Amino acid sequence: MATGAAIAAPGRRVVSLQADGSAMYTLQRYGRRRREKLPITTVLLSNRKYQILLGELTNVGANPGRVALDMMDLGNPDLE
């Protein structure tokens, strides 16, 4: 949405909020912003987990085991 907002309002700075887990799935967006020279500032929120995936597991009634939960923990090892 930040890319669309920056294209729709040229010359205005756009600030976007992004969580660390979902940011790992969308790294290509940062390349496009750089190529297009879009004035976007992204603030990464560190909750150290793939919260969106945990929510989806809850939505479908899944009961993930320890191994599955460990794979969604971004604090082990810590991302730098």
Side-chain angles (χ1 to χ4, degrees):
M1 290 177 23
T3 301
I7 291 170
R12 296 191 66 184
R13 175 146 303 275
V14 174
V15 176
S16 78
L17 301 176
Q18 177 77 52
D20 52 1
S22 56
M24 292 180 63
Y25 282 103
T26 56
L27 293 175
Q28 66 274 12
R29 81 174 66 181
Y30 302 112
R32 175 166 186 201
R33 292 174 181 180
R34 187 182 64 248
R35 279 191 311 278
E36 303 281 339
K37 298 181 179 159
L38 297 174
I40 300 172
T41 299
T42 299
V43 178
L44 284 176
L45 307 171
S46 177
N47 64 9
R48 300 190 183 281
K49 57 185 158 187
Y50 291 111
Q51 186 60 46
I52 194 164
L53 296 179
L54 293 171
E56 290 304 316
L57 286 170
T58 300
N59 289 343
V60 298
N63 186 17
R66 181 82 256 146
V67 173
L69 291 173
D70 285 347
M71 289 191 296
M72 289 185 247
D73 179 5
L74 298 180
N76 184 18
D78 278 331
L79 297 175
E80 298 292 325

